[in-house]
Amino acid sequence: MKEILSLSHFVLGSFWAILAPVVASAQAMQFVSSSRPADTSTQVANESAPAVKNPHLLPLFGETSKSVEQIEFEIHFLNECDQNFASRSEASQFFSARGWDYLQEGELDTACYRFNLAYLLDNKNSDCLWGLGVMCYHQGHLTDAERMLRKGADIDSMNVGLLVDLATVDLIHFKESKDNWELIEADQILTRVLRIDSTNANAYLKKSVLEYHKENYDAAWANLHKTRLLDAELLDYEFMKELLSKKCDPEGIFSTQN
């Protein structure tokens, strides 16, 4: 259930139009977490979305200095959890799980609040940072999504689902910024994921997109075929059309007529 966020593939040119809300079902760039519960492939990032003022509804309570009221609330909340859970770590996992539930239901503000509470209880809980990253992506805040996911990865560098989602956001960010650093980080992350789990089909799929961006079309095809062999259901045929327009399938399995 941890694999949820794999953002749909983003490539170049006309394929980006396919990611528009009306036809956003392509899987290549969706989050690993889209299978966990939240499917981020149905949204297109929009950094211009208005900011929420209530600190409870901002990632990590807005990461600003806390008011007296906020401090009093947190003390009361932590005391209540101490009385009702065996440990704060257990309470953190509970609120993190509720955050994912609300995220699945599209209740982004409520999900954010639950993830914030989970982090307040245990700032080493990478799961709530992962959730906040997905939530930020849903809200169209790519930079915040990337930052939250990176915080989570710093805590748990073995969480392949979170890592694939971070690489996915890097790739999507590259589409907007054309900053090669995004490709470099995505490449490093995916290489790490495949060292941890050499059978991770989603990582090979993202690697295929990455190689497409780098115009390494043979490598893109090689990684796409690895995806096919591991999990054919992940294949994105619109992405394959884009790849076919650049180079024929060296294995001759796919063609424009398929």
Side-chain angles (χ1 to χ4, degrees):
M1 288 299 291
K2 289 294 184 183
E3 294 190 349
I4 18 176
L5 298 190
S6 12
L7 290 173
S8 309
H9 282 234
F10 45 93
V11 288
L12 299 172
S14 61
F15 180 61
W16 278 104
I18 298 169
L19 291 182
V22 288
V23 205
S25 59
Q27 295 180 3
M29 268 331 293
Q30 70 187 143
F31 277 121
V32 174
S33 3
S34 57
S35 61
R36 180 181 176 174
D39 186 356
T40 58
S41 66
T42 60
Q43 302 236 351
V44 174
N46 177 10
E47 294 282 5
S48 63
V52 181
K53 300 254 175 125
N54 184 342
H56 285 211
L57 307 181
L58 290 169
L60 305 184
F61 298 102
E63 300 177 274
T64 59
S65 57
K66 298 176 181 179
S67 65
V68 173
E69 292 78 8
Q70 178 69 19
I71 294 172
E72 290 176 348
F73 161 79
E74 291 184 2
I75 292 172
H76 178 73
F77 171 74
L78 291 172
N79 286 337
E80 287 289 319
C81 288
D82 289 342
Q83 294 175 32
N84 289 282
F85 293 91
S87 67
R88 290 188 179 180
S89 176
E90 178 186 293
S92 179
Q93 292 298 327
F94 172 83
F95 282 99
S96 182
R98 300 293 74 72
W100 286 110
D101 290 340
Y102 284 113
L103 193 58
Q104 183 179 24
E105 295 169 4
E107 298 289 340
L108 301 186
D109 286 346
T110 307
C112 181
Y113 187 34
R114 296 302 184 275
F115 288 131
N116 281 340
L117 294 177
Y119 186 81
L120 177 63
L121 284 157
D122 180 8
N123 62 10
K124 298 302 182 184
N125 180 358
S126 63
D127 194 58
C128 57
L129 290 163
W130 186 6
L132 285 170
V134 180
M135 186 275 304
C136 289
Y137 180 80
H138 271 298
Q139 291 182 327
H141 302 155
L142 265 186
T143 300
D144 286 340
E146 196 170 359
R147 190 163 55 86
M148 291 297 113
L149 291 168
R150 195 173 286 120
K151 282 178 177 286
D154 287 343
I155 293 171
D156 185 1
S157 61
M158 300 294 288
N159 187 329
V160 295
L162 189 159
L163 292 173
V164 171
D165 281 354
L166 176 55
T168 300
V169 174
D170 281 333
L171 290 172
I172 291 174
H173 223 165
F174 171 78
K175 178 261 176 181
E176 294 188 347
S177 68
K178 303 303 181 189
D179 185 347
N180 283 331
W181 185 90
E182 302 286 358
L183 292 185
I184 293 170
E185 181 178 72
D187 200 359
Q188 291 173 341
I189 292 169
L190 293 172
T191 298
R192 176 175 180 77
V193 168
L194 291 170
R195 282 180 185 151
I196 298 170
D197 178 9
S198 62
T199 64
N200 192 302
N202 205 2
Y204 285 116
L205 186 58
K206 300 307 182 297
K207 189 83 168 173
S208 179
V209 177
L210 184 147
E211 297 296 349
Y212 179 97
H213 280 304
K214 293 165 66 175
E215 300 183 5
N216 296 335
Y217 302 125
D218 284 330
W221 274 116
N223 282 284
L224 195 63
H225 281 299
K226 288 177 182 178
T227 304
R228 174 181 61 82
L229 293 172
L230 289 166
D231 187 352
E233 290 186 1
L234 282 179
L235 292 176
D236 184 324
Y237 292 94
E238 295 298 335
F239 171 60
M240 278 193 283
K241 280 191 208 175
E242 291 293 316
L243 188 50
L244 282 164
S245 73
K246 300 297 183 180
K247 184 177 180 64
C248 293
D249 178 6
E251 296 191 22
I253 294 174
F254 299 106
S255 69
T256 54
Q257 285 74 41
N258 289 342

